[in-house]
Amino acid sequence: MKNIILTGDRPTGRLHLGHYVGSLKNRVRMQEEASYDTMYVMIADSQALTDNFANPKKIRDNLIEVALDYLSVGLDPEKLIIFVQSQVKELTELNFYFLNLVSLARLERNPTVKSEIKQRDFSNSIPAGFLTYPVSQAADILLFDANIIPVGEDQEPMLEQAREIARSFNNIYGKTFIEPKALLPESKQARRMPGIDGSAKMSKSLGNAIYLADDKKTLKKKVMSMYTDPNHINIEDPGKVEGNIVFTYLDVFSNEQSFEKYLPDYKNLDELKDHYRRGGLGDVKVKKFLIKVLEEELDPIRKRRALYEQNIDQVFDILEEGSKKASAKGEAKLREVKKAMGLDYFTDQKLKEEIQDKYK
Ligand code: ATP
Ligand code: MG
């Protein structure tokens, strides 16, 4: 079987550490391993409009920001296809057919969408486009025959929905789609990075993120303001590591080399955690260590971003080129879909003959 990878991000803001460990790192790793036939990376501007329809400027402004973030982490347009959702019109058409295969009750049960609805200020008027975005996301995946989807944990329900739609379509119209699988990060904490305020998910929409493009000063300020253990008031007090965001980040980003380099008094994170639990270790010391660890990861990303910021023309070309390639693939697949559904009236010679026979 071919390995086709598809992922995407909504251009609702710059990308942050949650995206980085939840999905981008897996994409870069697979790119380096060349362990796929095609990788598509989609900037989901149409999906972003489902809850930002009144603010198209936000989406327009963030399109290039997300593209710059992609290039800055090392996604290479020579090795994968970066495209813009709204520029591939076959996606909309496929979404329209898929909408028939899903019930309203099923859409209302999606746990990620449920919590997103709570977070957003829709009051009682949830846009139909928002409620149905998991269907459009199924179209994004299935149009490209993607089987591997590197995502964070919040996307599991979307993958389940996509599989259901694929199954249902295949049952009714004949085998047309592959059932896709999520590729989650190995580290449990990375599957759903918490925000710096301690809330369950770092998210662009919640204002609790460390962005890949944050400068050194901003990074420092954010880490210093991170949620720790509210009962750890004096250095001597025993502290809690569970739910302490600074330690969650260290779980994801630090390794023994980081200790050797920046905090040689400890061999590894377990030793540091033990000391914190016993008491006698201050938050500031742990936070300063985390800043160094994150700096090491983010500095090369910032530098690469700065280069592309000086070449915006090139970034637009990459997106346009990628969108053309994605459209070509989409067109071919949609032809197959319409044929399966019997909507190929003008290319199906047999249909004409049957009708001619009928009226003979
Ligand atoms: P929005 O609030 O606009 O939905 P977001 O921050 O949730 O933005 P998305 O563009 O919806 O970002 O998500 C893009 C990808 O990043 C998805 O694969 C998602 O699972 C992953 N992702 C987003 N936030 C996190 C996080 N905090 N931890 C792990 N993965 C994440
Ligand atoms: Mg999201």
Side-chain angles (χ1 to χ4, degrees):
M1 191 171 82
K2 276 192 164 182
N3 275 334
I4 299 180
I5 299 165
L6 181 132
T7 47
D9 305 271
R10 296 153 35 99
T12 49
R14 289 176 166 183
L15 299 183
H16 52 63
L17 287 183
H19 302 115
Y20 183 59
V21 296
S23 174
L24 291 171
K25 265 190 145 174
N26 261 339
R27 302 180 209 175
V28 175
R29 180 180 56 76
M30 283 188 292
Q31 174 185 287
E32 297 320 317
E33 290 169 358
S35 55
Y36 56 83
D37 297 277
T38 316
M39 175 156 22
Y40 297 92
V41 178
M42 179 183 83
I43 306 186
D45 59 337
S46 312
Q47 186 188 115
L49 280 170
T50 62
D51 56 333
N52 292 280
F53 51 88
N55 196 1
K57 187 170 182 311
K58 176 173 161 188
I59 308 308
R60 195 177 156 86
D61 289 348
N62 280 303
L63 180 82
I64 291 298
E65 295 297 332
V66 171
L68 284 168
D69 286 328
Y70 284 165
L71 298 165
S72 73
V73 297
L75 291 183
D76 178 353
E78 301 284 318
K79 297 179 180 157
L80 43 83
I81 297 172
I82 302 178
F83 74 98
V84 183
Q85 186 183 21
S86 64
Q87 306 306 304
V88 179
K89 59 185 191 309
E90 288 74 18
L91 290 170
T92 342
E93 201 173 336
L94 188 58
N95 177 38
F96 190 68
Y97 300 132
F98 281 177
L99 281 168
N100 299 330
L101 305 178
V102 182
S103 74
L104 202 53
R106 170 68 183 87
L107 289 168
E108 283 167 348
R109 274 203 313 272
N110 185 311
T112 299
V113 176
K114 259 191 187 161
S115 72
E116 287 173 343
I117 286 173
K118 259 194 219 136
Q119 275 164 24
R120 284 160 179 73
D121 193 19
F122 291 140
S123 49
N124 273 332
S125 73
I126 303 159
F130 189 78
L131 190 68
T132 58
Y133 90 71
V135 181
S136 123
Q137 202 168 309
D140 302 336
I141 296 168
L142 300 178
L143 185 71
F144 296 101
D145 287 324
N147 59 331
I148 301 174
I149 319 294
V151 281
E153 207 173 59
D154 62 321
Q155 296 300 309
E156 278 280 33
M158 312 305 166
L159 266 294
E160 187 52 41
Q161 179 70 86
R163 285 190 289 269
E164 278 175 36
I165 291 176
R167 231 172 283 148
S168 167
F169 189 102
N170 291 346
N171 281 338
I172 303 171
Y173 306 109
K175 175 104 178 92
T176 310
F177 294 112
I178 301 160
E179 291 187 28
K181 274 204 187 79
L183 176 73
L184 296 169
E186 265 174 41
S187 143
K188 231 178 143 204
Q189 288 91 338
R191 296 176 182 181
R192 190 183 296 257
M193 275 301 273
I196 55 170
D197 56 353
S199 67
K201 188 185 163 232
M202 180 180 286
S203 160
K204 286 175 244 139
S205 307
L206 296 177
N208 61 6
I210 292 178
Y211 294 96
L212 296 176
D214 277 348
D215 61 23
K216 214 170 166 167
K217 215 172 125 205
T218 312
L219 174 75
K220 200 170 157 194
K221 218 171 109 201
K222 286 184 178 173
V223 173
M224 283 304 181
S225 76
M226 264 186 181
Y227 180 87
T228 56
D229 171 5
N231 297 317
H232 183 245
I233 298 163
N234 303 307
I235 293 188
E236 316 77 68
D237 294 342
K240 250 179 84 176
V241 165
E242 291 70 31
N244 184 323
I245 303 305
V246 181
F247 282 98
T248 313
Y249 282 45
L250 286 176
D251 272 325
V252 175
F253 288 101
S254 73
N255 53 33
E256 291 202 357
Q257 281 93 297
S258 341
F259 280 89
E260 226 170 89
K261 236 165 145 177
Y262 304 120
L263 203 60
D265 291 351
Y266 303 85
K267 207 168 144 272
N268 55 34
L269 190 54
D270 285 337
E271 278 189 10
L272 190 72
K273 283 181 176 174
D274 282 344
H275 192 182
Y276 194 80
R277 286 196 186 99
R278 277 199 314 274
L281 174 59
D283 283 338
V284 172
K285 187 166 177 181
V286 188
K287 284 180 171 175
K288 282 192 169 154
F289 173 54
L290 176 60
I291 292 171
K292 289 193 181 124
V293 170
L294 289 178
E295 260 306 311
E296 186 173 321
E297 191 98 27
L298 293 182
D299 192 51
I301 296 178
R302 269 185 221 128
K303 292 205 170 101
R304 222 174 296 140
R305 194 181 215 274
L307 292 179
Y308 282 105
E309 283 171 356
Q310 300 312 310
N311 282 297
I312 293 299
D313 264 5
Q314 189 195 350
V315 180
F316 272 97
D317 287 347
I318 290 170
L319 295 183
E320 191 179 359
E321 201 48 44
S323 300
K324 279 186 191 146
K325 284 186 192 157
S327 287
K329 165 71 194 170
E331 230 176 89
K333 185 71 190 182
L334 197 68
R335 228 177 289 130
E336 187 191 333
V337 170
K338 290 174 91 165
K339 187 162 190 264
M341 295 178 79
L343 305 177
D344 55 340
Y345 312 117
F346 309 129
T347 47
D348 183 2
Q349 199 48 42
K350 232 173 76 205
L351 174 68
K352 274 182 223 160
E353 284 163 14
E354 273 168 23
I355 297 186
Q356 275 159 357
D357 281 351
K358 185 172 148 191
Y359 289 109
K360 244 181 205 154

